[in-house]
C-alpha cells in the first residue's frame, strides 16, 4: 500500500530534550516536505527536499533541522524543543514537487512540549 | 500579507443540501494552482480537487466542484448533496508558479464544516 508513515504519532516531551520525528514513504517520490498545523494558521511549511541531499527552508524553519540521506526518509529533528513548537506535524511527499499532482500526507504527529 | 483567505471559520449545512466554502487568494504569478484538502476528525489530510490557473473549465471530482473566478481571485469549493461524512475541516491551498516554484503549498486557515441530519 502506498503511504507516508510518520512516527511517533503522539509525543509529550519537555523543553530542551532533543527529539526526532521520522517520516518514510514507499512511493519512490523525489519530493518530501514537513508542515506544521496550528489553529487559525492552517499548515505552514517547515522544510522541503527536492531530492536526496537537497533540502531547503520553508516558511517557519527556526528550531528545526532535517536531513535527506535516502530517498525514502526525511526525518524532522528538534534539537532543543520549546513550548512554541507544540503543534501537529505533517510529512508529505509527491513524485516531483507541488505541481498538479496530489501531495501525499502522513497521518500527522501531535507533539506537546512542556 | 495573507495569500489564502478563508473567511468562514465554521459552516453548517443540512444533509443532502449543497454548500459552498469560500476561498480567495493573492498572487502576482500568471501560472499557479489551487487545491482543496479535507481533514476529518481523525487528522489525516485528504486531497479533494485541483484547478490550474490556465484551466478554462472548472474542476470537478464527483460531488466536489471548484468554482474558479480568476478575475475575482476566488476558488470556492462546492459540495453537492452533503453527507454526514463530509463533516470535517477544509483547507484551500495555492501553489505559486514561477516565483514559488514547485516546492510548497500555501494554506488558508481552514473552514470547519458540520453536516446536520
Amino acid at each position: 500500500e502506498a503511504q507516508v508513515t510518520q512516527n511517533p504519532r503522539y509525543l509529550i516531551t519537555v523543553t530542551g530534550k532533543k527529539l526526532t520525528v521520522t517520516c518514510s514513504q514507499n512511493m519512490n517520490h523525489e519530493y518530501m516536505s514537513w508542515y506544521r498545523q496550528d489553529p487559525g494558521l492552517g499548515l505552514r511549511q517547515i522544510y522541503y527536499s527536492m531530492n536526496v541531499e537537497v533540502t531547503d527552508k520553508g516558511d517557519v524553519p527556526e528550531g528545526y533541522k532535517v536531513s535527506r540521506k535516502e530517498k525514502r526518509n526525511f526525518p524532522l529533528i528538534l534539537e532543543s524543543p520549546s513550548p512554541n513548537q507544540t503543534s501537529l506535524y505533517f510529512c508529505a511527499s509527491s513524485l516531483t514537487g507541488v505541481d498538479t499532482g496530489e501531495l501525499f500526507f502522513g497521518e500527522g504527529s501531535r507533539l506537546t512540549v512542556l | 500579507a495573507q495569500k489564502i483567505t478563508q473567511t468562514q471559520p465554521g459552516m453548517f449545512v443540512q444533509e443532502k443540501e449543497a454548500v459552498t466554502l469560500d476561498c480567495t487568494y493573492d498572487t502576482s504569478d500568471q501560472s499557479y494552482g489551487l487545491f482543496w484538502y479535507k481533514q476529518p476528525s481523525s487528522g489525516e489530510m485528504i486531497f479533494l480537487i485541483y484547478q490550474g490557473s490556465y484551466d478554462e473549465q472548472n474542476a470537478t471530482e464527483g460531488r466536489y466542484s471548484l468554482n474558479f473566478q480568476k478575475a475575482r481571485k476566488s476558488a470556492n469549493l462546492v459540495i453537492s448533496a452533503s453527507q454526514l461524512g463530509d463533516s470535517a475541516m477544509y483547507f484551500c491551498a495555492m501553489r505559486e508558479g514561477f516565483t514559488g516554484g514547485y516546492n510548497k503549498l500555501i494554506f488558508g486557515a481552514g473552514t470547519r464544516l458540520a453536516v446536520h441530519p
Side-chain angles (χ1 to χ4, degrees):
Chain A
E1 180 190 351
Q3 59 187 2
V4 178
T5 304
Q6 296 178 223
N7 279 295
R9 295 286 314 282
Y10 302 92
L11 179 63
I12 300 174
T13 190
V14 295
T15 299
K17 186 174 181 182
K18 180 179 178 180
L19 68 92
T20 299
V21 185
T22 64
C23 174
S24 181
Q25 50 91 6
N26 62 1
M27 296 168 279
N28 203 36
H29 284 169
E30 302 282 348
Y31 170 92
M32 297 186 75
S33 182
W34 278 101
Y35 288 83
R36 59 177 289 173
Q37 180 182 354
D38 301 291
L41 297 176
L43 282 76
R44 293 175 293 167
Q45 190 186 56
I46 303 171
Y47 270 95
Y48 69 96
S49 169
M50 298 299 288
N51 210 329
V52 175
E53 302 293 358
V54 179
T55 64
D56 207 347
K57 296 176 181 178
D59 293 323
V60 288
E62 294 77 21
Y64 305 95
K65 285 175 56 176
V66 293
S67 68
R68 187 94 182 272
K69 294 186 171 62
E70 310 164 276
K71 184 183 274 192
R72 64 183 292 126
N73 295 324
F74 191 44
L76 180 70
I77 303 156
L78 286 73
E79 293 271 2
S80 182
S82 61
N84 64 13
Q85 292 178 298
T86 292
S87 187
L88 177 60
Y89 291 87
F90 285 100
C91 180
S93 75
S94 73
L95 190 59
T96 57
V98 187
D99 43 17
T100 61
E102 180 179 345
L103 196 61
F104 291 83
F105 282 85
E107 292 179 305
S109 297
R110 188 168 292 280
L111 170 65
T112 301
V113 183
L114 301 175
Chain B
Q2 199 166 10
K3 295 206 169 188
I4 295 284
T5 303
Q6 294 180 254
T7 56
Q8 307 152 315
M11 290 276 289
F12 296 93
V13 66
Q14 209 69 25
E15 195 178 7
K16 297 179 186 168
E17 294 192 346
V19 62
T20 298
L21 306 184
D22 293 342
C23 173
T24 58
Y25 60 91
D26 182 30
T27 182
S28 56
D29 283 343
Q30 296 301 308
S31 173
Y32 52 89
L34 297 153
F35 301 74
W36 277 92
Y37 282 84
K38 172 184 178 181
Q39 186 179 47
S41 57
S42 49
E44 73 269 31
M45 295 289 286
I46 302 168
F47 167 76
L48 294 179
I49 197 166
Y50 168 81
Q51 177 88 40
S53 59
Y54 291 119
D55 294 341
E56 294 188 351
Q57 299 217 336
N58 286 344
T60 61
E61 290 286 348
R63 294 185 299 111
Y64 304 108
S65 61
L66 200 153
N67 184 3
F68 181 45
Q69 298 189 39
K70 199 169 182 176
R72 300 177 65 178
K73 292 191 174 178
S74 74
N76 298 340
L77 177 71
V78 181
I79 305 175
S80 62
S82 297
Q83 302 172 354
L84 295 178
D86 293 335
S87 294
M89 180 74 92
Y90 289 82
F91 290 99
C92 179
M94 177 175 67
R95 182 266 302 157
E96 291 186 298
F98 300 112
T99 56
Y102 296 130
N103 59 47
K104 72 177 177 187
L105 291 181
I106 302 163
F107 285 82
T111 295
R112 186 169 297 282
L113 176 67
V115 180
H116 291 173

